[in-house]
Amino acid sequence: MGTSTPFGGPKGKDPLVPDFVNDGDAAPPAPPPQDGDGTEPVPPAPPPRPAPAPPPPPDRFRNARRNFTKFASSGGDDRRALGRAVSQYVSQASGGSGPAARRMGSSRGVAARIAGFLGDVSARGLQAALVTFNLAGMAGSSPAEIFSALVEQFCPEGGSVDEGIARDAFMETVVELADAGIADMSSLTPEQMQTVLELYVAHTIEDRIYNDIGIKGVEIPADAGAAQAVQDQLHEFILGGVSDAFSEAAIDFAAIDPNTIGQTMERIYGAAFDILEALGEEEAAK
């Protein structure tokens, strides 16, 4: 679990989808229309002002934080508390899977870029895909070296908490590539490409939950082994839900459309949060 982005956790009064979350999918504004002779722009009519969103419940993080702390205090043994924490994080702290997915703005954007790169590798080959990023000289490099170079292009250092989570998760994914059996970028299978994305998306959700409800919780176990067990179980729990979401999406990497991959990743994030909420409820009921 990454620790380079903690910020103390959001407060209950913070909006469900903070202003710092950059969706990355918004289309550029259309040029203003012109009058009859085409010489003077006609000011566009102002868009209707949306109704203000109701304020979120001020204590929406309380239950999830309490149960995550209980899970951490058990050294990872209290799986029911883990299930309640994750389920309550989605349903109460985030306001459901939709708002939870929208809070992952930068992470979704980077996931779409990773998917686009992998699709390009599948369609045109590694060398051609690397030329797009001025990395042609890295064609013979290891997957970790190639993706490390892409980290700097897809999510440069600095920025908001959301951007920090996206970068941290990408670097965590790079570290795990070898253990996932990804050793040759020039002969990636569709299953390996999906594994890369599953690892990345799981790490972004894990880091988001950690920042929101788990910062103090993971500090509770005095034993380093117990603390690691807490982090490993959270990661495995989230990865399971994310893998199910990708299986449902059935991405065809050879036919990825750059114009729609962003929407696809938003659906996957939403499905992942839905699945995690359900899995959490199941775990809590055992």
Side-chain angles (χ1 to χ4, degrees):
M1 180 184 299
T3 57
S4 65
T5 59
F7 67 105
K11 307 297 187 294
K13 65 182 179 180
D14 293 341
L16 290 173
V17 182
D19 292 339
F20 62 69
V21 174
N22 179 12
D23 212 343
D25 298 328
Q34 296 185 338
D35 63 9
D37 60 11
T39 59
E40 295 292 337
V42 177
R49 302 184 69 175
D59 60 348
R60 71 182 191 274
F61 292 101
R62 180 184 303 167
N63 291 333
R65 283 177 176 154
R66 183 179 66 245
N67 278 299
F68 191 91
T69 299
K70 185 177 179 182
F71 165 65
S73 300
S74 74
D77 292 335
D78 193 342
R79 295 278 300 184
R80 294 178 64 187
L82 170 62
R84 285 192 294 267
V86 173
S87 176
Q88 290 164 348
Y89 175 78
V90 178
S91 63
Q92 298 177 15
S94 300
S97 60
R102 289 194 292 276
R103 295 190 79 224
M104 310 296 297
S106 293
S107 297
R108 292 200 325 267
V110 174
R113 295 183 193 105
I114 295 172
F117 170 73
L118 293 172
D120 203 14
V121 171
S122 179
R124 300 194 299 142
L126 178 61
Q127 181 76 39
L130 289 172
V131 167
T132 304
F133 300 97
N134 297 318
L135 297 174
M138 299 193 69
S141 301
S142 69
E145 291 171 325
I146 291 173
F147 278 108
S148 292
L150 291 173
V151 168
E152 302 306 323
Q153 300 215 26
F154 290 173
C155 40
E157 191 171 5
S160 67
V161 171
D162 190 50
E163 291 166 333
I165 286 173
R167 178 182 172 86
D168 194 47
F170 202 159
M171 292 189 294
E172 290 171 330
T173 300
V174 169
V175 171
E176 294 185 3
L177 292 177
D179 289 341
I182 299 171
D184 185 359
M185 285 293 294
S186 63
S187 59
L188 287 177
T189 65
E191 291 76 19
Q192 288 176 321
M193 293 181 180
Q194 180 166 308
T195 294
V196 173
L197 280 171
E198 288 177 357
L199 287 172
Y200 174 74
V201 171
H203 276 303
T204 62
I205 294 175
E206 179 185 357
D207 286 1
R208 179 81 267 173
I209 291 177
Y210 171 70
N211 273 278
D212 283 353
I213 66 170
I215 291 176
K216 296 179 180 178
V218 296
E219 296 172 355
I220 289 176
D223 178 74
Q228 188 61 53
V230 168
Q231 296 181 10
D232 289 345
Q233 287 199 50
L234 176 63
H235 176 68
E236 291 171 6
F237 187 88
I238 293 172
L239 182 59
V242 169
S243 297
D244 288 347
F246 271 96
S247 295
E248 292 177 2
I251 295 177
D252 181 358
F253 287 93
I256 283 178
D257 183 351
N259 297 315
T260 61
I261 188 59
Q263 289 81 3
T264 299
M265 294 312 305
E266 181 172 0
R267 288 195 298 272
I268 288 174
Y269 269 97
F273 279 114
D274 266 333
I275 292 169
L276 288 172
E277 182 180 358
L279 290 176
E281 291 174 351
E282 290 177 8
E283 194 72 36
K286 289 182 180 178

